[in-house]
Amino acid sequence: MPYLSGKEMVKELRRALSNPNIQSDRLRYRNTVLKVIRAMSQGVDVSDLFSEMVKACATVDVVQKKLVYVFLCCYAHLNPELSLLVVNTLRKDCLDPNPMVRSLALRSMTNLRLSSLVEYVEQPLTAGLRDRAACVRRVAVLGWAKLHNLQPGSEIDGAVVNELYSLLRDPDPVVMVNCLRALEEVLKDEGGVVINKPITHHLLNRLKECDTWGQSEVLRVLQRYQPQSEDELFDILSLLDSSLVSPHPPVMAATLSLFLSLCSGLPAVSQAALERVRGPLLAACGSGSREMRFTALCHIQLLLRSIPGLLGEHYKRFFCSYAEPAYIKRRKMQVLVELVNDENVIMILDELKGYCTDVNTDTAQAAISAIGRIGRSYSDKCLEILTGLLGLKQDQITSAVVQTIRDLVWACPQCSDAVSSALEGCEEVLQDSQGRQALLWLLGAYGERISSAPYTLEAFIDGVRSETSMELKMELLTSTMRLFLCRPAETQDMLGRLLHYCIEEERDMCVRGQALLYYRLLQRGIGETRNVLQVRRSDPSIGVLIGRQAEPISQWVSSFNTLEPLQHCSVERLGGPAGLPAPGAEPSVTLSLSPPVTPEEFECLWMQQRDTIRCGAVPHCSPQSLHAAMQLVNIQTLAFTPSHTLPWKVFLYTHTLRADTSCSTLVLGELLYEVKVTLWQQPHDVSSLRVFLSVLTTVLHTLSSEVTIFQVGPELFA
């Protein structure tokens, strides 16, 4: 057949559909209808053939009916008036002796999705609920849900609801499950289907008759039921026991979720249930489906939060295979970190060491990071591996190792001596900005122990003119200042050159503002400079990985068997050098600029209710200096009024991160010269707000000779 354009094809198909010779030949007529469907699937607009296809549905050929109904359901919304012609044919088909034709007609009537046809559809659907064929009842039950979705504001017919409730006892299990789904949709505004004791025990007794997804639906709905007595509770748990070890992961997950919901007041029973699903979870981790493996790993991480040693003896099941995608390897490494103990630490570290040289850089960096997290408990073994990786002299590996060492010494200050001797020569290999920033932080924090620290910093200072990273320049300024405080004779000259360049030649206002801040600090004296810059270099309060307290199951049970575990990364947030708490901050709270807030978002949130804090005089300083100072402590300034106007005003924001709960709050602020500070916070967190105010006070102390003390009223923290 020669190639035809869309319009020519439609004309050709119309002639064929209207040809009496083709209409009289059932096979040729069906093939012509099939050509129309094929053209429709290829994106050709065949809506002009609607009237011809309406005529084609008047046939006894079931295959042709299916094809025509597919077409009509697709284009009915474009031809609502002509769709009325189809209804009569569909209503006749609802009385056909063939149950397949009846179910097909009912499905097509509800799929037309035209509110003008609702009155014609209700009677066939009501009759379909009482049909002798199960396939017709299945379609009719779901048809009422579609009808309600088409007119969500309409009143619910009580007779239909009662009929649907009675069909929960239908002998066909698919009809029973479809009734649950339909009642959930129809009674959505009233809280969904009502589950009482007779319905609960009926559904549980027929659970084995349903397919996998039917069982999952039944188990999900049953979470609303609360047993009336302890005897009834254990009767239900006995019925669920076999489903708890089902070979089908969806059924197992839904059963465990119901188990934990029912046993919220029985922690021993809940823990026993978690131990019973160990086998099915491990089997799911070996599934041929990558999606299933990833989902199982995410849910295993939830379980390990309450029972850390649940899978300790099966740690080898989480070793990575070569062909696995990187996102599964990362999750497996996170699980391995949770399973480390004295017996398996050597085996796990040897396995992770092999991943550090993986051809995939993301996998290699994740393995190095995992070794660093294990190092918080087994520092000697992990430092030996990390320092050995530095000897490979590969840029990506060296960068990841230096960043990991930086985080490790933040949590384990006892490692600093070993780290200081391992950093020699790293600057020659490092090329990426993140790794060089980590090295600069280490040189500034432990420069008195690293003999070559001044010479390394001098190499960075000599190349500062060609450096493009603003963050690296700011880190270089801070590290040089810190090294100057402990080794002034070796650092004085290079610090002067760096400050001169950043103040006189640097174009970036953030870098220039930070240099001006340090220059003015030095003018106030070494003592004042030391008070600001000599902050703590570690946080041992973070604790070790092994022996941490198990979380209650109630903290995560609501997210089990949902998408939430897949959306949240379980990598720990450390209040470490990557997000250093400013002087005066509480150990468990740090400030962060991520995610950023746009001016439009700020304005929208700012219109909501705010808290006003009366204070002393807010120092009137240049926008550049204040912006640079706020950047140092992870507070972002969004807008200033001109410096010569009064009242002078600044808008700013930050995120407070709590290490104990991994939760963040957004804080928006407005500084008004000599009047007040106005704050907006979501969600409300008193301790985070105190940290923010403490950091803000410290910055303003530094920028002005005036002492700025916030007079915070008790009503704010009520």
Side-chain angles (χ1 to χ4, degrees):
M1 182 177 179
Y3 173 78
L4 298 175
S5 64
K7 292 183 178 179
E8 294 174 345
M9 181 183 295
V10 171
K11 292 179 180 178
E12 183 69 23
L13 290 172
R14 177 181 284 113
R15 283 195 292 267
L17 289 171
S18 304
N19 191 330
N21 295 325
I22 294 179
Q23 292 177 356
S24 60
D25 189 333
R26 180 184 298 179
L27 183 59
R28 292 178 63 191
Y29 200 18
R30 180 203 293 177
N31 289 336
T32 305
V33 172
L34 184 60
K35 290 179 182 178
V36 175
I37 301 301
R38 185 181 296 120
M40 182 180 72
S41 65
Q42 292 172 352
V44 179
D45 183 8
V46 290
S47 58
D48 293 341
L49 302 176
F50 196 86
S51 57
E52 286 78 10
M53 294 294 283
V54 169
K55 299 175 184 177
C57 71
T59 179
V60 295
D61 188 349
V62 177
V63 176
Q64 183 173 320
K65 278 183 180 292
K66 287 184 177 180
L67 295 173
V68 174
Y69 289 160
V70 169
F71 176 90
L72 297 178
C73 293
C74 182
Y75 290 108
H77 66 285
L78 299 177
N79 301 272
E81 296 180 357
L82 287 176
S83 298
L84 288 171
L85 302 176
V86 186
V87 174
N88 288 330
T89 303
L90 291 172
R91 286 172 66 94
K92 290 178 182 178
D93 286 345
C94 289
L95 303 175
D96 195 277
N98 187 343
M100 183 180 296
V101 175
R102 296 200 301 272
S103 63
L104 180 62
L106 273 179
R107 181 183 292 111
S108 301
M109 288 178 74
T110 54
N111 286 343
L112 290 176
R113 304 283 180 170
L114 294 175
S115 56
S116 59
L117 303 180
V118 170
E119 56 182 314
Y120 303 102
V121 179
E122 290 180 345
Q123 191 274 331
L125 282 179
T126 304
L129 294 176
R130 305 183 183 93
D131 197 281
R132 62 183 180 277
C135 63
V136 180
R137 296 197 301 275
R138 296 174 185 178
V139 175
V141 167
L142 293 180
W144 279 108
K146 297 177 185 177
L147 213 60
H148 178 74
N149 186 261
L150 193 60
Q151 292 183 324
S154 61
E155 293 185 5
I156 303 171
D157 189 347
V160 173
V161 174
N162 292 334
E163 190 76 26
L164 291 175
Y165 269 113
S166 65
L167 283 175
L168 287 175
R169 298 188 177 276
D170 192 276
D172 185 73
V174 179
V175 174
M176 179 185 72
V177 175
N178 285 357
C179 276
L180 285 175
R181 293 169 177 153
L183 286 168
E184 283 286 280
E185 182 67 28
V186 172
L187 302 175
K188 182 166 53 179
D189 295 337
E190 301 177 12
V193 59
V194 178
I195 301 296
N196 54 26
K197 183 176 179 179
I199 292 178
T200 298
H201 287 270
H202 170 72
L203 293 176
L204 287 172
N205 288 323
R206 297 194 57 191
L207 190 63
K208 297 297 179 59
E209 302 176 22
C210 304
D211 59 9
T212 300
W213 296 110
Q215 292 184 52
S216 301
E217 183 73 17
V218 170
L219 293 166
R220 182 188 64 81
V221 173
L222 287 178
Q223 292 189 28
R224 300 178 189 165
Y225 180 69
Q226 292 297 326
Q228 304 301 315
S229 65
E230 188 170 312
D231 291 338
E232 183 186 359
L233 170 61
F234 283 102
D235 287 342
I236 293 175
L237 297 182
S238 299
L239 291 172
L240 292 173
D241 187 66
S242 59
S243 298
L244 199 59
V245 290
S246 171
H248 305 292
V251 177
M252 179 273 299
T255 306
L256 181 59
S257 182
L258 176 58
F259 228 98
L260 297 177
S261 176
L262 293 172
C263 301
S264 56
L266 301 170
V269 178
S270 298
Q271 185 166 345
L274 294 180
E275 293 175 354
R276 287 218 58 193
V277 300
R278 181 187 309 165
L281 277 174
L282 289 172
C285 290
S287 170
S289 168
R290 294 178 174 181
E291 293 79 7
M292 184 64 71
R293 274 181 282 163
F294 181 76
T295 304
L297 289 169
C298 294
H299 283 78
I300 283 175
Q301 288 181 285
L302 278 183
L303 270 59
L304 291 177
R305 288 164 56 179
S306 294
I307 310 181
L310 179 64
L311 301 170
E313 59 187 16
H314 302 284
Y315 67 93
K316 291 185 179 180
R317 298 287 294 269
F318 301 98
F319 285 176
C320 304
S321 64
Y322 178 79
E324 285 179 326
Y327 62 89
I328 290 182
K329 290 181 178 179
R330 285 196 297 271
R331 284 285 176 173
K332 282 192 171 183
M333 285 186 272
Q334 291 171 15
V335 173
L336 284 173
V337 171
E338 303 290 336
L339 299 180
V340 169
N341 55 42
D342 294 340
E343 288 76 22
N344 60 29
V345 61
I346 300 298
M347 290 286 294
I348 290 178
L349 286 176
D350 286 344
E351 186 71 17
L352 290 174
K353 182 180 178 181
Y355 306 151
C356 293
T357 54
D358 194 277
V359 292
N360 186 304
T361 56
D362 291 338
T363 301
Q365 291 174 2
I368 294 171
S369 177
I371 292 174
R373 291 182 61 198
I374 296 174
R376 293 166 57 186
S377 303
Y378 302 93
S379 55
D380 294 339
K381 298 181 179 65
C382 294
L383 277 176
E384 182 181 349
I385 295 175
L386 293 174
T387 53
L389 292 172
L390 289 175
L392 296 177
K393 303 295 182 181
Q394 295 184 20
D395 173 33
Q396 296 293 336
I397 294 178
T398 302
S399 175
V401 170
V402 172
Q403 294 177 62
T404 301
I405 288 176
R406 175 198 60 188
D407 296 338
L408 182 59
V409 297
W410 178 259
C412 304
Q414 69 273 14
C415 304
S416 56
D417 291 334
V419 167
S420 301
S421 60
L423 294 176
E424 303 284 348
C426 288
E427 71 280 358
E428 300 174 1
V429 181
L430 288 171
Q431 298 297 326
D432 76 306
S433 176
Q434 294 294 326
R436 297 167 78 194
Q437 287 180 55
L439 177 62
L440 287 174
W441 186 88
L442 289 167
L443 293 174
Y446 298 98
E448 74 278 6
R449 306 180 190 180
I450 304 174
S451 59
S452 62
Y455 311 105
T456 303
L457 284 179
E458 188 171 20
F460 278 99
I461 293 171
D462 291 340
V464 72
R465 284 179 170 81
S466 59
E467 182 57 54
T468 59
S469 172
M470 175 196 71
E471 292 82 4
L472 190 139
K473 291 179 182 178
M474 296 175 74
E475 190 66 59
L476 179 60
L477 275 168
T478 304
S479 298
T480 309
M481 284 288 292
R482 287 179 177 172
L483 191 61
F484 170 73
L485 295 177
C486 59
R487 300 172 72 169
E490 300 169 272
T491 319
Q492 181 177 359
D493 179 66
M494 67 177 76
L495 175 60
R497 287 188 284 120
L498 179 61
L499 288 175
H500 179 272
Y501 166 78
C502 292
I503 295 173
E504 300 295 336
E505 301 180 37
E506 177 60 47
R507 295 184 179 182
D508 191 289
M509 288 296 100
C510 293
V511 178
R512 185 174 181 273
Q514 184 173 342
L516 284 170
L517 172 66
Y518 288 157
Y519 180 74
R520 289 167 184 164
L521 272 176
L522 291 171
Q523 286 181 324
R524 293 175 66 98
I526 289 295
E528 188 74 19
T529 305
R530 196 181 303 275
N531 290 337
V532 174
L533 287 177
Q534 291 287 43
V535 297
R536 55 189 181 144
R537 300 178 293 186
S538 62
D539 185 8
S541 65
I542 291 176
V544 296
L545 182 68
I546 302 300
R548 63 181 180 183
Q549 187 176 4
E551 295 182 14
I553 295 175
S554 58
Q555 289 192 3
W556 52 263
V557 66
S558 60
S559 62
F560 189 82
N561 200 26
T562 67
L563 292 177
E564 188 175 343
L566 281 65
Q567 296 169 345
H568 296 289
C569 182
S570 66
V571 176
E572 277 186 48
R573 280 198 186 99
L574 297 179
L580 285 172
E586 294 183 5
S588 60
V589 180
T590 57
L591 303 184
S592 171
L593 298 181
S594 179
V597 177
T598 64
E600 293 78 11
E601 293 171 339
F602 187 101
E603 182 178 2
C604 180
L605 295 172
W606 192 248
M607 299 305 294
Q608 303 177 24
Q609 185 177 1
R610 303 179 293 274
D611 293 308
T612 299
I613 304 174
R614 296 286 173 179
C615 61
V618 175
H620 191 186
C621 54
S622 69
Q624 293 83 3
S625 299
L626 184 59
H627 178 74
M630 295 295 184
Q631 283 280 341
L632 283 176
V633 292
N634 287 338
I635 299 177
Q636 179 66 49
T637 54
L638 278 182
F640 298 84
T641 56
S643 57
H644 60 276
T645 60
L646 289 177
W648 183 69
K649 189 181 296 185
V650 181
F651 292 99
L652 47 88
Y653 77 88
T654 189
H655 296 269
T656 60
L657 307 178
R658 294 183 61 87
D660 53 349
T661 61
S662 298
C663 294
S664 66
T665 63
L666 173 62
V667 179
L668 310 181
E670 176 192 54
L671 274 65
L672 194 60
Y673 178 57
E674 290 189 342
V675 181
K676 61 185 178 181
V677 175
T678 305
L679 297 177
W680 180 95
Q681 186 186 32
Q682 181 184 16
H684 189 66
D685 187 341
V686 173
S687 60
S688 298
L689 202 56
R690 287 197 179 101
V691 168
F692 172 76
L693 291 174
S694 175
V695 173
L696 193 59
T697 305
T698 303
V699 173
L700 298 178
H701 265 298
T702 306
L703 290 175
S704 175
S705 58
E706 300 175 6
V707 177
T708 306
I709 302 177
F710 290 98
Q711 303 296 335
V712 181
E715 66 279 356
L716 178 62
F717 300 113

